[in-house]
């Protein structure tokens, strides 16, 4: 098969779609992504009217060559990790669509939307990940 | 939800009470399963059905069922037991039959194009849906070449890039059909899950195995009859057949053994 690989082709499509039609408060540094298509830095603003209003976050997406069949690895990075029951202090996010419920039909965009909704529905900032399964 | 990615890179050398031991055992179990999968081609070459006899030499119940199958079927084509086997076996068997039936191929192509608009309204992201649709159509279009494309079809189905795209697209068609007729399918879903939740957890992700409900949804969405022969511990001496949708004209024959589907070829057609 000719280059680019299916996984690269898919990422390029997702990148242009995300730049054209980003979820509210989300932006991606396209120049950096063009250099490393398998590593994206996504900026995310805490939504207005939520506990995270006024905060800025950085998400890192890492894609394997098996993307979209393997889920992307998504973590919060940088000096502001959201304080949330499902976010570890090292930035790791506990979200079922990033593991068991990942589907190749999901996308960077849908992952961003899920994370925004996870943050927005939080009623109380808790600093440690609760151990109970959800 | 435990943190699997983390434990993967952090396998402890001594007992660590903070880590869930069951989870580690499950993890190892999944790794072993994966090794087994990878030793089977996604779609294997056709073989004589009598090869099944050797698998069940010491098992009377299964032997009886193999004998019964041998009266009706000539060949078996195995598929990789990776949880996608229903979709992959179905697609390969049906596509292969379309090589010989160009008129049916034309109408199948039309159904797929029409079906795309209902997928568009099922809440899938347009970008990813388009991507899967394009690759799926690339494979479908190969069928227009007729029987000369037999080898090409076999190669495409053993190329993950194409084969898994076909699986995903069929998963999306299945999910969309379930959600379209949610009122009906809700009756078959156990537990408190809605049809949409069931689709997100059991239909759309790769490697999740299929049950009756998936088969009914896919076969009715595409109007393709599927006969599944069940080879299980049941006392019947026959490998019982179920047709999906009930009473339909059968296009595809599959063999079910607990947890897995392979393709069967009836005696009269081959």
């Amino acid at each position: 098969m000719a280059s680019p690989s299916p996984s690269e082709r898919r990422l390029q499509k997702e990148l242009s779609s995300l730049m054209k039609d980003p979820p509210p408060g989300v932006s991606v540094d396209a120049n950096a992504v063009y250099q490393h298509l398998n590593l994206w830095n996504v900026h995310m603003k805490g939504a207005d009217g939520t506990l995270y209003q006024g905060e800025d976050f950085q998400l890192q997406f890492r894609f394997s060559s098996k993307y979209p069949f393997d889920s992307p690895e998504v973590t919060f990075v940088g000096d502001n990790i959201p304080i949330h029951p499902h976010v570890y202090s090292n930035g790791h996010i506990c979200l079922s669509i990033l593991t068991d419920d990942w589907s190749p039909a999901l996308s960077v965009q849908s992952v961003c939307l899920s994370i925004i909704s996870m943050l927005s529905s939080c009623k109380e900032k808790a600093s440690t990940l609760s151990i109970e399964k959800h | 939800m435990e943190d699997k990615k983390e434990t993967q890179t952090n396998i402890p050398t001594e007992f660590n009470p903070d880590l869930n031991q069951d989870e580690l055992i499950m993890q190892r179990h999944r790794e072993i399963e994966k090794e087994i999968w990878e030793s089977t081609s996604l779609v294997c070459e056709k073989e004589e059905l009598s090869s099944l006899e050797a698998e069940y030499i010491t098992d009377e119940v299964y032997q009886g069922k193999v004998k019964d199958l041998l009266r009706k079927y000539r060949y078996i084509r195995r598929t990789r037991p990776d949880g996608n086997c229903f979709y992959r076996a179905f697609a390969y068997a049906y596509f292969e039959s379309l090589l010989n039936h160009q008129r049916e191929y034309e109408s199948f192509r039309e159904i797929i194009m029409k079906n795309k608009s209902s997928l568009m309204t099922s809440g899938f992201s347009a970008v990813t849906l388009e991507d899967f649709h394009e690759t799926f159509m690339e494979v479908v279009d190969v069928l227009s070449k007729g029987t000369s494309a037999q080898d090409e079809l076999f190669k495409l189905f053993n190329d993950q890039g194409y084969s898994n795209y076909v699986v995903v697209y069929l998963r999306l068609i299945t999910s969309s059909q379930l959600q379209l007729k949610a009122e009906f399918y809700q009756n078959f879903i156990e537990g408190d899950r809605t049809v949409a939740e069931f689709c997100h957890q059991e239909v759309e992700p790769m490697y999740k195995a299929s049950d009756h409900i998936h088969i009914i949804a896919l076969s009715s969405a595409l109007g393709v009859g599927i006969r599944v022969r069940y080879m299980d511990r049941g006392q019947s001496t026959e490998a019982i057949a179920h047709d999906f949708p009930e009473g339909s004209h059968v296009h595809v024959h599959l063999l079910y053994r607990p947890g897995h589907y392979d393709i069967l070829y009836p005696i009269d057609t081959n």
Side-chain angles (χ1 to χ4, degrees):
Chain A
M1 267 186 299
S3 60
S5 71
S7 141
E8 288 167 342
R9 193 178 63 186
R10 157 82 180 242
L11 284 171
Q12 271 157 2
K13 283 184 194 165
E14 283 199 45
L15 182 60
S16 49
S17 148
L18 190 64
M19 282 161 56
K20 211 169 63 194
D21 184 24
V26 170
S27 61
V28 59
D29 183 352
N31 285 330
V33 172
Y34 283 129
Q35 310 223 326
H36 299 283
L37 196 56
N38 61 347
L39 191 68
W40 297 21
N41 272 303
V42 173
H43 307 270
M44 184 178 275
K45 282 189 187 305
D48 287 352
T50 72
L51 295 178
Y52 303 92
Q53 177 171 345
E55 289 189 65
D56 285 315
F57 305 110
Q58 295 266 5
L59 279 169
Q60 188 179 72
F61 282 71
R62 194 182 282 279
F63 305 95
S64 80
S65 61
K66 289 190 184 148
Y67 183 78
F69 300 102
D70 282 358
S71 60
E73 257 182 69
V74 185
T75 48
F76 280 105
V77 292
D79 44 20
N80 191 29
I81 307 289
I83 297 168
H84 184 281
H86 297 150
V87 180
Y88 284 81
S89 55
N90 66 3
H92 194 98
I93 306 162
C94 208
L95 191 62
S96 65
I97 59 162
L98 294 175
T99 52
D100 280 10
D101 296 346
W102 168 256
S103 153
L106 297 171
S107 61
V108 174
Q109 192 142 349
S110 47
V111 170
C112 287
L113 284 169
S114 292
I115 293 175
I116 292 171
S117 124
M118 178 187 91
L119 291 180
S120 301
S121 61
C122 185
K123 301 264 190 308
E124 190 187 350
K125 284 190 184 183
S127 54
T128 47
L129 184 89
S130 69
I131 298 300
E132 64 180 313
K133 293 197 175 191
H134 62 96
Chain B
M1 182 78 41
E2 299 292 321
D3 178 3
K4 278 178 213 141
K5 289 260 155 71
E6 202 79 351
T7 49
Q8 231 165 32
T9 50
N10 253 331
I11 292 170
T13 48
E14 55 195 72
F15 182 73
N16 176 347
D18 293 338
L19 281 171
N20 184 334
Q21 297 299 308
D22 288 345
E23 181 63 26
L24 288 175
I25 292 167
M26 287 296 291
Q27 170 93 38
R28 182 66 198 128
H29 187 70
R30 279 194 292 266
E31 280 165 16
I32 293 168
E33 252 181 1
K34 206 161 172 241
E35 281 163 28
I36 297 172
W37 298 354
E38 285 169 358
S39 64
T40 310
S41 301
L42 293 171
V43 174
C44 300
E45 296 281 1
K46 230 185 211 180
E47 44 183 303
E48 294 280 340
L49 186 62
S50 51
S51 68
L52 278 188
E53 282 181 312
E55 283 180 45
Y56 300 111
I57 282 175
T58 56
D59 192 317
E60 266 180 44
V61 178
Y62 274 76
Q63 263 185 4
K65 292 183 183 183
V66 173
K67 283 215 174 71
D68 174 53
L69 284 175
L70 279 166
R71 283 191 282 272
K72 296 161 183 144
Y73 297 93
R74 177 124 186 232
Y75 299 107
I76 180 172
R77 190 190 290 278
R78 297 169 199 265
T79 63
R80 179 178 292 182
D82 64 357
N84 295 316
C85 50
F86 163 67
Y87 299 98
R88 209 179 320 263
F90 164 77
Y92 193 85
Y94 186 53
F95 287 10
E96 194 183 26
S97 79
L98 292 182
L99 292 173
N100 290 308
H101 297 95
Q102 288 296 306
R103 201 175 299 163
E104 200 181 324
Y105 154 73
E106 300 284 349
S107 61
F108 173 67
R109 203 177 186 287
E110 269 168 42
I111 291 171
I112 291 295
M113 296 311 283
K114 264 192 218 142
N115 182 270
K116 191 185 166 196
S117 50
S118 65
L119 289 187
M120 293 300 259
T121 57
S122 294
F124 300 120
S125 134
V127 179
T128 57
L129 183 62
E130 198 60 52
D131 190 41
F132 288 109
H133 178 78
E134 256 174 47
T135 310
F136 186 77
M137 291 319 288
E138 261 182 67
V139 178
V140 168
D141 286 340
V142 165
L143 306 177
S144 68
K145 299 179 189 170
T147 46
S148 64
Q150 183 87 40
D151 290 346
E152 194 177 349
L153 189 66
F154 185 76
K155 274 193 200 123
L156 285 174
F157 268 79
N158 277 300
D159 177 337
Q160 303 245 11
Y162 287 97
S163 206
N164 286 346
Y165 269 70
V166 170
V167 168
V168 172
Y169 200 69
L170 294 180
R171 285 182 176 277
L172 298 186
I173 293 176
T174 307
S175 165
S176 151
Q177 178 75 10
L178 288 168
Q179 296 187 66
L180 213 63
K181 303 261 158 66
E183 221 169 284
F184 170 70
Y185 288 111
Q186 184 70 64
N187 304 313
F188 303 98
I189 292 173
E190 288 168 20
D192 291 333
R193 286 189 280 189
T194 64
V195 172
E197 284 165 345
F198 177 82
C199 287
H200 298 329
Q201 293 166 358
E202 308 294 339
V203 186
E204 293 159 21
M206 291 291 277
Y207 316 115
K208 297 278 175 93
S210 300
D211 215 330
H212 285 196
I213 183 170
H214 304 77
I215 306 180
I216 296 169
L218 183 64
S219 60
S220 29
L222 299 178
V224 178
I226 303 173
R227 175 166 296 168
V228 181
R229 290 276 171 186
Y230 287 86
M231 206 154 103
D232 51 27
R233 288 258 136 239
Q235 285 308 308
S236 157
T237 51
E238 202 191 348
I240 291 172
H242 279 270
D243 292 352
F244 304 94
E246 227 172 295
S248 60
H249 169 70
V250 174
H251 294 81
V252 167
H253 296 258
L254 300 178
L255 172 64
Y256 176 82
R257 286 179 283 171
H260 184 59
Y261 297 87
D262 292 306
I263 303 168
L264 287 172
Y265 293 86
I267 285 175
D268 52 347
T269 60
N270 280 284

